[in-house]
Amino acid sequence: MPGSPDHETSANDAEVPIKRSYASYSSPGQASLRAWAEHHGERPGPYRPRFMVYSGLGSPRMTADRLGLLQQLGAESFLLAADLPSQLGYDADHELAFAQVGRAGVSCSTLEDFASICSGLDLDAADSLGMLANSIGHIGLAMVVSVLRDRSASDVRLVMQNDPLKEFTARGTEIHEPEQAVRIACDCVAYAIDEDLPGAAITVCSNHYDVAGAGPVLGVALAFANALVYVDELVARGYAATDVLGKMMFFLNERSDLFVGASLFRTARVLWGQIVEERYGLPVADQPVMTIMGYSHGLESADEPLVNIPRVTLSVLSSMLGGVDYLCATGYDEALRIPSADSAALALRTMQVVAFEHGAMTSLDPLAGSLKTVDVDAYLIGQVEHEMARIADNGGALEALRNGYITRRIDENRGTRQRQLEDGERHMVGSSIFQSPENRDLFAGRSAGEIGFADVEQDARDRLKRHKEARDGEAVHSALARVQDAAAGTANLVPVTVLALRAGATTQEIVAATRAGFER
């Protein structure tokens, strides 16, 4: 059990004995934290999250090389960033993809592309694999599952970012109607349950709401409200709530305060446990332990990029103190361009240093019980509950999306950080205070310049042309017809999407077939 003598360590210069846990979790409201601590207390060694990299750049080959390098350095979980055309369901040769191919992620139009992206990974040594596929969840999941099966990597866990509802107000990459988007996302979760796939077939995100201007409190409330839409839909289909929750992960975020960030992750567990118990009748002890992903980013500046390193380090510490299960860290040059290999590697090393040095992770939940944490916890819980009540008063997440409530609330919160900086309520080192002397190029780092995007785009178009010439057109046509039929009815979209990809259909073609089926 956490806190027992055999979990003590004296691995510090003063040889002070440090317990595995100091928290008692005696109050009924802390049941979720108790379950989390007991779950992790059974594992040997210090608590730490899985080291995740969120990466995708240029061509599949470039991304494969980057992922392979980061895995050699100790990365365990791999979330692939698709470029904007791929996220929107366009192939690299579509006119709307012009000048966007490979820029904000990797170009991925076919199953062959995705297999190439993963070719640099040793999947036997990987914890998990996923893809940014919020509006094309059935395609993203089908690609991941196909590669894992082809390489006999059935133990690799899913970390799919497949949360379309937040796209409508936070990111703008929605391509279907809200109800259709929910159907796709839930088909992915249902497929993962039916096939007994390990990991998360959906990651429900507050991070993007936060970045869009909502702030972390409203962001968490919106994420929880969206999660209820997905769980309700799947329960209505006949799936057990506990099975659905076991395939769900949350991507939460607080970008500016170490203690508030740690508290946000802790209180999210408490609140979600209470919500699930009240709504689905599942006591906390019977619920799957909530899985949380964090991403240490948010305060990086294009000025003095090397100074982003301590900022990211403190954000990593905040996330780990809050008990996240998966963690990414941003590169110090990410405010300037796609991170260089050097900065991506340093971001990984930053997570490793915080996890294994200086005793930060020696004890589970080390901030539990501090007077400051207790006060911040109570405030956050009250504020998130208040926001969720307002969403419920507006008909829940789907109706609040339709009637504009979510957009209005995000707009109301937008600009908080800038206002605080302008009022002098907070500071930004190197910007609002302690500016560098003029004519001195300090803290610039060694970030490499941009890749040759024009060459990446031409290569993607050529690769797609060869792919279409080599495939069996009749087999593709037949497979796409099955996708359309499934979309027009109630059959799960994932199995027919797997068949379509294996027949050689592209992302754009599958999206078109899905849309045509929805419109029948």
Side-chain angles (χ1 to χ4, degrees):
M1 290 291 294
S4 60
D6 59 331
H7 282 84
E8 289 188 356
T9 179
S10 300
N12 54 80
D13 289 352
E15 297 187 300
V16 176
I18 304 297
K19 293 182 180 180
R20 183 65 182 269
S21 177
Y22 292 85
S24 62
Y25 305 116
S26 55
S27 68
Q30 295 179 317
S32 295
L33 290 174
R34 184 188 309 113
W36 170 83
E38 290 175 351
H39 174 73
H40 287 288
E42 296 171 356
R43 300 177 181 180
Y47 161 75
R48 66 168 179 84
R50 296 297 182 188
F51 303 132
M52 175 185 276
V53 294
Y54 170 55
S55 184
L57 69 160
S59 68
R61 183 68 261 165
M62 291 177 181
T63 300
D65 291 343
R66 174 67 61 86
L67 295 179
L69 169 65
L70 294 174
Q71 186 176 38
Q72 289 179 40
L73 293 171
E76 302 163 297
S77 179
F78 304 90
L79 178 60
L80 304 179
D83 66 7
L84 190 57
S86 300
Q87 292 184 51
L88 289 167
Y90 293 117
D91 292 338
D93 60 356
H94 192 280
E95 60 182 359
L96 293 179
F98 178 73
Q100 294 295 328
V101 175
R103 287 182 180 266
V106 60
S107 177
C108 185
S109 297
T110 66
L111 179 57
E112 184 180 12
D113 285 346
F114 189 79
S116 179
I117 290 167
C118 298
S119 63
L121 291 174
D122 176 5
L123 292 179
D124 290 333
D127 170 86
S128 42
L129 177 68
M131 184 178 183
L132 183 71
N134 291 293
S135 293
I136 54 169
H138 56 316
I139 300 173
L141 179 59
M143 286 183 173
V144 172
V145 168
S146 295
V147 166
L148 293 179
R149 286 175 175 166
D150 288 347
R151 294 179 57 180
S152 300
S154 59
D155 292 334
V156 175
R157 299 172 61 82
L158 300 174
V159 282
M160 296 300 301
Q161 194 170 123
N162 164 37
D163 172 15
L165 284 179
K166 56 99 174 43
E167 302 297 296
F168 290 85
T169 49
R171 295 186 73 242
T173 66
E174 68 278 1
I175 60 177
H176 301 292
E177 294 296 320
E179 291 82 2
Q180 297 166 350
V182 169
R183 188 263 178 96
I184 291 173
C186 290
D187 276 0
C188 293
V189 178
Y191 181 82
I193 296 172
D194 293 343
E195 298 292 318
D196 196 24
L197 303 177
I202 187 169
T203 301
V204 185
C205 306
S206 78
N207 172 76
H208 303 94
Y209 284 122
D210 186 5
V211 172
V217 169
L218 177 59
V220 169
L222 291 170
F224 283 176
N226 289 342
L228 295 178
V229 173
Y230 303 130
V231 180
D232 284 352
E233 165 64 19
L234 285 156
V235 168
R237 294 189 190 185
Y239 289 95
T242 186
D243 291 337
V244 176
L245 296 168
K247 303 301 180 188
M248 179 176 285
M249 180 165 71
F250 287 87
F251 178 10
L252 309 180
N253 194 40
E254 206 293 325
R255 301 179 292 152
S256 64
D257 186 289
L258 185 151
F259 297 97
V260 175
S263 179
L264 186 90
F265 295 120
R266 300 174 72 259
T267 54
R269 293 188 186 280
V270 172
L271 276 169
W272 185 242
Q274 292 172 354
I275 291 168
V276 169
E277 183 166 4
E278 293 170 4
R279 193 176 187 95
Y280 305 108
L282 275 178
V284 170
D286 296 335
Q287 297 174 24
V289 174
M290 183 184 186
T291 303
I292 298 178
M293 169 189 165
Y295 192 179
S296 297
H297 74 126
L299 284 175
E300 299 79 48
S301 172
D303 299 323
E304 304 182 351
L306 278 182
V307 183
N308 293 327
I309 295 172
R311 292 184 179 118
V312 173
T313 302
L314 289 170
S315 184
V316 166
L317 176 59
S318 175
S319 298
M320 290 192 183
L321 291 175
V324 300
D325 302 282
Y326 288 89
L327 183 61
C328 294
T330 195
Y332 68 80
D333 56 356
E334 198 156 339
L336 300 170
R337 58 182 64 90
I338 292 175
S340 64
D342 183 66
S343 70
L346 181 59
L348 176 61
R349 282 287 188 258
T350 300
M351 293 190 288
Q352 293 166 337
V353 167
V354 175
F356 289 104
E357 299 182 17
H358 301 280
M361 295 291 97
T362 304
S363 302
L364 283 161
D365 201 8
L367 296 183
S370 82
L371 296 179
K372 180 171 183 174
T373 301
V374 169
D375 190 63
V376 174
D377 285 355
Y379 180 85
L380 286 176
I381 288 174
Q383 290 299 105
V384 174
E385 287 178 334
H386 174 68
E387 293 290 353
M388 291 201 69
R390 294 181 66 176
I391 296 167
D393 289 342
N394 277 271
L398 268 178
E399 181 56 31
L401 175 61
R402 291 193 197 93
N403 66 28
Y405 172 77
I406 293 175
T407 299
R408 290 195 300 274
R409 287 293 291 125
I410 292 174
D411 289 343
E412 289 169 6
N413 284 11
R414 187 174 289 118
T416 298
R417 180 184 299 175
Q418 186 61 36
R419 174 187 56 76
Q420 292 171 343
L421 287 168
E422 291 173 355
D423 292 347
E425 187 179 350
R426 67 191 296 179
H427 303 291
M428 190 80 172
V429 173
S431 178
S432 64
I433 57 173
F434 304 123
Q435 293 91 347
S436 295
E438 293 184 8
N439 304 318
R440 292 295 302 273
D441 184 20
L442 300 176
F443 313 115
R446 297 189 293 107
S447 177
E450 293 186 357
I451 61 179
F453 288 117
D455 294 337
V456 167
E457 183 162 340
Q458 187 58 53
D459 174 69
R461 291 173 180 267
D462 293 343
R463 195 169 61 249
L464 193 56
K465 183 175 182 292
R466 293 192 299 271
H467 172 84
K468 289 180 177 178
E469 289 173 347
R471 66 187 184 176
D472 182 338
E474 186 175 332
V476 171
H477 178 77
S478 176
L480 290 172
R482 295 184 65 177
V483 172
Q484 186 175 148
D485 289 342
T490 59
N492 194 302
L493 284 163
V494 179
V496 292
T497 302
V498 170
L499 295 176
L501 286 169
R502 291 195 178 280
T506 68
T507 293
Q508 184 175 309
E509 291 168 338
I510 296 172
V511 167
T514 303
R515 182 178 289 117
F518 285 155
E519 293 173 352
R520 272 169 46 181

